[in-house]
Every structure is written in structure tokens, then in C-alpha cells.
Amino acid sequence: MPTSPQEAVRRQNLGALLRYVHLRGATSRAELTARLGLNRSTIGALTADLATAGLVDEGAPRETGRAGRPSLVVRPRSSRVYGYALSIEVDRLRAARVGLGGAILDSRTAQRPPGTEPAGAIGTLAALVHDMHRHTPAAGVLVGCGVAVTGMVRQADGTVRIHPQAGPAGETAGAALGNALGAALGHDRPPLVGDLADVAALAEHTRGAAAGFDNVLYLHGDAGIGAGIIAGGRLVAGHGGYGGEVGHMVVNPDGRPCGCGSRGCWETEIGERALLRNVGRDGATGRDAVLAVVEAALRGEPVAQAAVRHVADWLGFGVANLVNLFNPEAVVFGGSLRELYLADATHVRARLLRMALPVCREHLRLRTPVLGDDAPLVGAAELAFERLLADPLETADPADREFSAPA
Ligand SMILES: [Zn+2]
């Protein structure tokens, strides 16, 4: 049905208002009027429409500290309107129910057997979601599902091409993870699938350590090294959606062979395996093993200290190159890179000072994720909310719950 210009503007304004309270939480009508550039009666009418649709509610502010009649506060209905967020990580699977406004309302975790294909996670993830759904109030509105996958993701269809444990031969060509997950969940619409580092970058950019910055480098360390790069406020995806594979940036042409078939990739110097190999734990993996090395280094054990220093050195080396390329306002160290960066931040900074161009690093902040290990889940939920925020009334019809949990 064709939409009148007035109706198109109204829908756009509804989306802008809902997005504002989704990102900032409870907001007074006065602030909405100022921030959205609309008059008071328009804000009142838009709020009434969103309240009727069950997306926001209005009330008196908790405390004003000022005399006079306080401006009403508009809040997202976080416990009623929600999305499911899934994350397929190297050694675990996570599922969360995330309310409008970004709060994690419920979550489940399961182990992921090492070396398995992402497609092998579908049954487990669906079971985690169905278990949460049984504990979800019947009057809730499910707006969709988003998935963060460690590895490479093609944006057009969410096909996962390779993941850290597999070489090029491990390609799951034609396996559209989103479609398969959608079918297993009983959703009409397949979940949106994103690369874990991209999705975590989105979360930190939206409501975390990089909020307010338009140029951001989010680095995620696990078995491999991934990056979500935001340039000019937009995620750098590249032609096929595979951009940002900084873990395979060759930093040491004489270095070790990499799982990708090349040699001396960044992740062969700063990935978990490289750290653990350097303390004589060849073949070990996992966050707990990394934390044990970091703790040993902090206790003063020389072998662990040297291994952490080696990672800090190469971390600074790679970040300096990326800073010269992208001139970011913030670099965020996530996954196991969080602990490794914090263990020897002085050395990372020193490398950066020596190598990065002053003009590229002069306004740079080095940070760790505000959302911690939840960044991929919160970001996956943002994928799920995007359709609602683009057109709130179209998506919010409770009759369109698009979900049928099996009996
Ligand atoms: Zn490589």
C-alpha cells in the first residue's frame, strides 16, 4: 500500500524516538523535544502511539530535585519487548533474551565441542532458546533474533565460510546458518547473522566503550584474532562482507604457518595458541589457560612474563599499523586480548608511540569493553532490534509473534 509523505515522516519520527530511548534509557519529554528537534505536541503524539503499541510507557521521573511540574519520562518496555541473541564462540554457545533498551533478561550457556562446524551448533542453540521461551511471559513481543559467529560471515546470506579451527578446506559452502537456525527455532524470518567481532564492535559503539565515536577499531582475541572496524560511523564490510580479517594481516613473513595457509599472520604472534606455545603449553587453548599465563606473569614468573611481553610487542606493532590505516578515536581490546592488553598496557602504548604516525594517534583512546564478554550478545540483539527501530508499528503487532516453540 502506498504511504503518504506525512505517514512516512511519522514512521520515521516514531523510529527515531524509539531508537533514542532504546539507546539512552528513560528520557524526559523535554529532552526528547530538544534532541529530536520536534515540537512538544508531536513528541506527545508519537509517545502515545508507541505506548499504545506496548513499546514504551510513561511516568513521573524518580527524582527531579527541581521545583515545578516535572516533564514525563518515556521508558522502553524492556521486559515486554525483546529479541533473542545467540553467540557461537570457539568453545561455547550462548543464548540470551535481551529486552528493548539492551538489558539481558535471561541467558543460557552450553559447551561447544572443539573443532565442530557452526552448523553443528544449531540444535543446541535452538534448545537453549526454547528453554528460555518457556520462561517468557506470554504477553511479550518477540521482535527477532540475531547471531554472532566467530569466523567469517558473508553478509548477504549469513553463510559462514571458515572458522578458526578449519583451514580453507573447512569452508561450509552453501550452508546458510541463518536459514537453518530460523527453521530450528520456528521463526518465520531467519535470524540476522554477523561476524562476532563486527557484532561486538557494534555493541561497544552503540552503548559501550566506543559510544559517541565514529571511527573505532574493536579487536577480539580467541583462537584467532578478529576485528570490527567502524569508519565514518559505518562498519567496514568489504565487497563480500569478509573485511576486517586483521588476524591474517602478515606481520612476520618468516613467522609460523597459519591455519589460513599463509605464514606469519598476526594471530600466529598474538593469538591464544601463540601465547600458550611460548610458555611450553603447545596445543593448549581457551580463555582459562590464557588467564593462568597472565596471572603467572603478574606474579613475576619469567617465562610467563616473556610470553606476555611478546604478545604485547606484536599487539602494539599490529595496532600501530591499523591506527595508521584507519585513524580511529578508540581501540577496544576484547576477548582474551582484554587481559593480555591490561597485563602489559605500558608496552603496547610504547610500541604504538614509536610506530604510529602522531597525526593518526593524537586523539586515540585505548579501552577495554564496557560490556565485557556480553558485547557479542548485546550486539546480536541490536541486529534483532534493527527492524523494529526502522518501523516500530509495523513490527510490534503482538499477533506477529513469529515464534512457535515446539510443544
Ligand atoms: Zn592467516
Side-chain angles (χ1 to χ4, degrees):
M1 194 165 44
T3 312
S4 71
Q6 293 89 335
E7 178 61 11
V9 168
R10 177 174 158 269
R11 286 183 175 222
Q12 199 181 345
N13 288 339
L14 285 166
L17 199 163
L18 190 62
R19 190 181 295 275
Y20 197 93
V21 298
H22 170 62
L23 295 179
R24 313 251 175 160
T27 308
S28 70
R29 277 199 192 191
E31 181 179 340
L32 288 168
T33 303
R35 296 296 173 140
L36 300 180
L38 300 168
N39 64 43
R40 284 172 57 188
S41 62
T42 304
I43 291 291
L46 294 170
T47 302
D49 286 348
L50 292 173
T52 303
L55 297 171
V56 302
D57 57 22
E58 271 195 297
R62 286 195 179 86
E63 276 184 46
T64 66
R66 278 188 292 178
R69 200 160 67 97
S71 177
L72 287 174
V73 164
V74 183
R75 302 185 188 89
R77 290 192 64 182
S78 302
S79 56
R80 179 176 186 272
V81 184
Y82 64 93
Y84 283 116
L86 311 176
S87 98
I88 302 180
E89 302 172 20
V90 170
D91 51 10
R92 64 177 176 175
L93 304 170
R94 289 198 291 163
R97 191 163 70 86
V98 181
L100 185 65
I104 294 181
L105 303 171
D106 196 3
S107 66
R108 302 281 188 278
T109 303
Q111 300 261 309
R112 179 181 176 200
T116 51
E117 294 287 333
I122 289 168
T124 305
L125 285 171
L128 296 179
V129 171
H130 288 141
D131 185 48
M132 278 191 290
H133 206 68
R134 273 192 285 277
H135 299 90
T136 300
V141 178
L142 172 65
V143 299
C145 179
V147 192
V149 189
T150 189
M152 289 189 189
V153 175
R154 186 168 64 203
Q155 285 188 331
D157 56 5
T159 301
V160 178
R161 296 294 292 273
I162 68 169
H163 55 105
Q165 298 87 351
E171 215 171 88
T172 56
L177 185 67
N179 287 331
L181 260 170
L185 292 170
H187 291 196
D188 295 338
R189 222 173 252 102
L192 292 164
V193 181
D195 173 81
L196 186 132
D198 285 345
V199 165
L202 178 68
E204 290 294 332
H205 173 59
T206 309
R207 56 175 85 246
F213 301 139
D214 278 344
N215 298 282
V216 178
L217 183 61
Y218 178 94
L219 297 171
H220 180 85
D222 48 40
I225 300 294
I229 300 168
I230 293 167
R234 302 177 75 92
L235 202 59
V236 173
H239 171 64
Y242 302 129
E245 285 298 325
V246 299
H248 300 285
M249 175 170 74
V250 177
V251 295
N252 184 1
D254 300 322
R256 290 177 172 270
C258 178
C260 74
S262 184
R263 181 176 283 278
C265 294
W266 201 22
E267 67 184 43
T268 68
E269 300 292 352
I270 68 165
E272 290 179 353
R273 276 160 220 233
L275 176 84
L276 296 166
R277 187 185 62 231
N278 289 340
V279 294
R281 296 194 56 196
D282 234 323
T285 52
R287 188 72 166 274
D288 291 344
V290 170
L291 290 177
V293 176
V294 168
E295 281 163 17
L298 295 175
R299 280 198 307 270
E301 289 184 22
V303 174
Q305 278 182 329
V308 169
R309 172 59 53 92
H310 179 92
V311 168
D313 205 35
W314 283 105
L315 184 58
F317 180 100
V319 169
N321 279 302
L322 294 169
V323 163
N324 285 349
L325 277 174
F326 293 102
N327 184 202
E329 295 145 284
V331 176
V332 184
F333 298 95
S336 56
L337 288 181
R338 177 185 182 278
E339 282 78 24
L340 287 165
Y341 163 70
L342 291 175
D344 205 352
T346 311
H347 199 71
V348 176
R349 284 175 187 278
R351 248 300 192 190
L352 205 53
L353 278 176
R354 278 204 308 280
M355 284 186 55
L357 293 170
V359 288
C360 291
R361 63 169 159 75
E362 63 186 349
H363 299 297
L364 179 67
R365 289 97 167 157
L366 302 182
R367 295 191 166 169
T368 54
V370 165
L371 300 164
D373 287 342
D374 287 336
L377 286 175
V378 173
E382 295 299 336
L383 298 180
F385 284 123
E386 194 47 47
R387 200 166 60 92
L388 173 76
L389 299 174
D391 195 350
L393 302 189
E394 187 67 29
T395 314
D397 181 0
D400 173 31
R401 278 186 52 126
E402 69 164 65
F403 191 94
S404 54

